[in-house]
Amino acid sequence: MDFGVGYFPTHDGMRPGEVARMVEERGQDALFFPEHTHIPASRESPYPGGGELPRKYSHCYDLYVALTAAAAATTTLRIGSGVTLIIQRDPIVTAKEVASVDHMSGGRFEFGVGLGWNREEMRNHGTDPRTRTVLMRERVEAMKQIWTQHEASYQGRFVSFDRIWSYPKPAQRPHPPILVGGDGPTVLDRVLAFGDGWIPDFSGDQMFGRMEELRARADRPIEIQFLDTPVDPALFERLAAAGVRRVSHWLPSGPCSIVEPALERWEAAIGQFNGG
């Protein structure tokens, strides 16, 4: 089982490239960045974590700019979106961005996608929350066509285009792994419909049963990762035994004096798991 970290790359904390270089040098396998284009000031949608929404949500860099900086600063680190809010994005533009980052990084990109939780944010992008699941599927399917076809077309309810050329294609074939985020009641349907893997947060022991359900329903190999994993070597043992591909842990945003101690705590737990 591999280990990674997540980080909100805010404009007043460690820069994306700096964090990426540090976690690569210290042996982490992957680094994930989240995405929020903005946070509506109305704050009608409650923060899923409870309490006040952390400041970092409204102060992070653009996801794909940050990923480019991380790719340029490293040579072996896997970089990923944790997650891209594809329901708020144009699929043709996003396909170009994903392919560009993957191509420039030498095939090191992992494409986490999710529905999101902030309904006002969705509406500001012209997305109706009631139809976001269908929209997500169509946009991912359309992007697959763009990545894999010289002359791509797609016709759906929400996404429609005829005969386009778009290069570069991703370095990974047929495309970067599509990792579906979230742990809602219908998320496994989305994983099975268009995902190569599932990348939820670890939200408790019920996740072991859901992993079993996913594998029982799948007709192909589906990789499982966890984005937000407690710092617990005993849990690592259970997840490794369950066949989890990678576990990651969110680091706090801020200067190195805040980020590095949190990374050291994560590394210490990994060392205990590995018998060090």
Side-chain angles (χ1 to χ4, degrees), residues 7-272:
Y7 179 76
F8 275 73
T10 59
H11 60 87
D12 52 358
M14 287 188 73
R15 298 296 178 92
E18 295 171 342
V19 174
R21 190 178 302 110
M22 180 174 71
V23 299
E24 180 180 71
E25 290 174 350
R26 299 181 68 143
Q28 296 295 306
D29 178 67
L31 172 63
F32 290 90
F33 294 145
E35 175 170 55
H36 283 281
T37 57
H38 68 289
I39 294 296
S42 65
R43 297 296 302 114
E44 295 173 18
S45 294
Y47 173 47
E52 292 296 318
L53 182 72
R55 179 179 178 275
K56 62 187 179 183
Y57 278 78
S58 57
H59 286 262
C60 51
Y61 284 113
D62 172 83
L63 171 59
Y64 283 87
V65 172
L67 287 166
T68 300
T74 55
T75 57
T76 61
L77 186 74
R78 301 288 293 180
I79 54 173
S81 56
V83 292
T84 296
L85 298 178
I86 190 64
I87 63 164
Q88 300 178 181
R89 288 179 148 268
D90 179 276
I92 298 175
V93 173
T94 307
K96 171 75 79 172
E97 291 179 326
V98 169
S100 297
V101 171
D102 194 59
H103 193 274
M104 288 191 295
S105 69
R108 292 187 281 131
F109 182 63
E110 303 197 2
F111 186 43
V113 296
L115 287 174
W117 55 269
N118 193 311
R119 290 173 177 263
E120 306 91 86
E121 184 180 356
M122 299 172 204
R123 293 190 186 102
N124 287 348
H125 284 280
T127 295
D128 184 343
R130 296 170 298 180
T131 57
R132 58 183 173 159
T133 302
V134 177
L135 177 65
M136 180 182 186
R137 176 179 57 78
E138 289 192 2
R139 287 184 174 173
V140 172
E141 289 176 349
M143 292 172 67
K144 288 182 178 182
Q145 291 297 308
I146 294 170
W147 291 329
T148 60
Q149 303 299 317
H150 166 62
E151 192 168 275
S153 299
Y154 186 86
Q155 300 297 328
R157 178 181 171 190
F158 297 105
V159 180
S160 179
F161 54 83
D162 285 319
R163 302 181 60 228
I164 67 170
W165 301 330
S166 180
Y167 284 83
K169 302 302 184 186
Q172 297 176 87
R173 295 288 187 267
H175 49 69
I178 297 170
L179 308 175
V180 180
D183 63 357
T186 61
V187 67
L188 300 187
D189 296 336
R190 295 190 289 278
V191 177
L192 294 168
F194 54 78
D196 299 304
W198 184 31
I199 188 166
D201 292 337
F202 185 84
S203 57
D205 282 353
Q206 73 275 7
M207 302 306 285
F208 289 94
R210 300 202 73 187
M211 286 190 281
E212 292 179 3
E213 178 188 351
L214 175 61
R215 288 173 173 142
R217 293 175 57 189
D219 61 358
R220 64 189 188 280
I222 299 284
E223 90 172 38
I224 298 173
Q225 301 190 33
F226 286 101
L227 260 182
D228 190 14
T229 311
V231 183
D232 183 352
L235 177 59
F236 299 166
E237 294 280 359
R238 298 175 63 198
L239 293 173
V244 171
R245 164 76 175 80
R246 180 191 293 130
V247 295
S248 297
H249 177 71
W250 287 107
L251 300 176
S253 298
C256 186
S257 61
I258 292 175
V259 177
E260 191 168 27
L263 178 58
E264 289 173 349
R265 288 190 292 272
W266 179 241
E267 291 173 333
I270 295 170
Q272 291 181 45

